[in-house]
Amino acid sequence: MGIQKFIRGILMYRKSARKQMVEQFERIRDNPKPKAVLFTCMDSRVLPTRFTQSDVGDMFVVRNAGNLVPHAKLFGTELVVTTEPAALELACVVNKIRDVIVCGHSDCKAMNLLHAVRTPEEMMKTPSSPLRQWVSRHGATSLTHWEKFEASGFKAPLTFNLGSKTVVTHIDPDNKFEATDKLSQINALTQLQNVASYPFMQPLIKTGEMRLHALWFDIYTGEIYYFSQKKGAFAIVNEETSTDIMDEISAMYIHSEKAVAA
């Protein structure tokens, strides 16, 4: 029944949403202005356009196993160059997008695997597996951060260089999440560091024109968390916290506008 579900969905789309979507395409066809590029996981439970309520033309979405962005030092070292750096350049250089988001999530199968392959026994299993190679290579720094965090009893703060500033970070300070979910949050921040490693990003980040953000989606509760650099922690986004989060983001925009004016 797999693909048949989607064929039926296409027929429903033709009856209900196609006309409206074509009208939206017409409005933005010659001048699309995406507001962000979002790197997230390919997990079928993660629906970023739904939980952000974004629309046609609002953002670029790049998906892979584990929302990983290869570090610039690894660029071109693989048999096949990965698409993530190209997507980043297309978004931020060609389309001049100035907000980059990395979104992780709970019960991430790629992070569960990364957590497992840290043991020598697991590392010896199916060494030719593309998935194991992918998460081991591009999640290695995330795992190093996590192991340091684990050694402290999941209590010590971690430090991340998020572009133009170093942020002392408290991962899951209330100890609500599983160890692998803590790794997922650490990984989202680590991938932002990787985003900042590309030479074409660094001048924009240094001047403050480029803004880096992390989100984290709890698939069991449907809650979304935004990484607050001010608080150094992932903060739940709801009616009570949204004003503080929006004020923090607004301050980033003001800084960006001053940088552009200068």
Side-chain angles (χ1 to χ4, degrees):
M1 296 294 289
I3 190 65
Q4 292 168 311
K5 171 181 173 60
F6 307 126
I7 298 299
R8 286 195 293 268
I10 291 170
L11 295 175
M12 291 176 61
Y13 151 78
R14 288 178 59 83
K15 293 179 181 178
S16 60
R18 176 172 170 260
K19 181 180 179 180
Q20 180 182 6
M21 187 169 288
V22 170
E23 290 172 352
Q24 292 174 323
F25 287 145
E26 286 293 326
R27 286 197 296 270
I28 68 168
R29 179 178 60 185
D30 298 324
N31 191 30
K33 294 182 179 179
K35 301 169 182 63
V37 54
L38 173 76
F39 291 88
T40 193
C41 188
M42 63 186 287
D43 193 300
S44 62
R45 299 166 294 179
V46 178
L47 301 172
T49 55
R50 186 174 296 181
F51 65 65
T52 61
Q53 292 292 284
S54 54
D55 215 332
V56 172
D58 280 348
M59 65 179 174
F60 290 176
V61 180
V62 185
R63 305 186 70 152
N64 62 39
N67 45 270
L68 300 172
V69 181
H71 193 281
K73 67 183 179 183
L74 297 175
F75 177 72
T77 61
E78 306 200 13
L79 294 177
V80 178
V81 177
T82 59
T83 62
E84 291 76 20
L88 189 63
E89 183 179 9
L90 177 63
C92 299
V93 178
V94 178
N95 285 273
K96 301 187 184 307
I97 287 172
R98 293 297 179 258
D99 287 279
V100 180
I101 308 165
V102 174
C103 179
H105 67 98
S106 61
D107 191 35
C108 178
K109 304 309 181 186
M111 290 300 102
N112 294 351
L113 177 59
L114 179 62
H115 182 265
V117 299
R118 75 192 193 281
T119 64
E121 295 77 16
E122 286 293 330
M123 291 180 67
M124 292 300 293
K125 293 181 180 178
T126 57
S128 62
S129 161
L131 178 59
R132 283 175 178 265
Q133 289 189 24
W134 169 254
V135 299
S136 296
R137 173 171 293 187
H138 302 301
T141 303
S142 300
L143 190 57
T144 298
H145 283 308
W146 183 88
E147 288 173 338
K148 179 180 178 181
F149 188 42
E150 181 193 35
S152 73
F154 298 119
K155 294 179 180 179
L158 298 173
T159 301
F160 292 92
N161 182 10
L162 300 182
S164 60
K165 64 187 296 187
T166 299
V167 181
V168 176
T169 302
H170 301 274
I171 298 295
D172 190 18
D174 297 327
N175 198 31
K176 296 192 301 183
F177 301 112
E178 299 290 335
T180 49
D181 290 341
K182 299 179 200 295
L183 174 57
S184 176
Q185 292 188 353
I186 288 170
N187 180 64
L189 298 175
T190 304
Q191 301 314 309
L192 278 186
Q193 291 188 143
N194 290 352
V195 165
S197 70
Y198 286 87
F200 59 81
M201 296 291 290
Q202 290 170 359
L204 296 169
I205 292 170
K206 186 176 181 180
T207 60
E209 293 178 60
M210 185 66 67
R211 299 168 291 271
L212 306 182
H213 313 272
L215 296 175
W216 195 77
F217 177 48
D218 185 352
I219 63 170
Y220 296 117
T221 65
E223 297 288 7
I224 313 295
Y225 294 76
Y226 176 81
F227 182 75
S228 167
Q229 295 189 26
K230 183 178 180 180
K231 295 180 178 179
F234 280 94
I236 194 169
V237 180
N238 60 26
E239 291 72 18
E240 295 178 359
T241 64
S242 60
T243 298
D244 286 345
I245 291 171
M246 294 296 281
D247 286 347
E248 179 177 339
I249 295 172
S250 295
M252 296 170 71
Y253 276 85
I254 292 170
H255 181 68
S256 294
E257 291 169 0
K258 291 180 178 178
V260 172

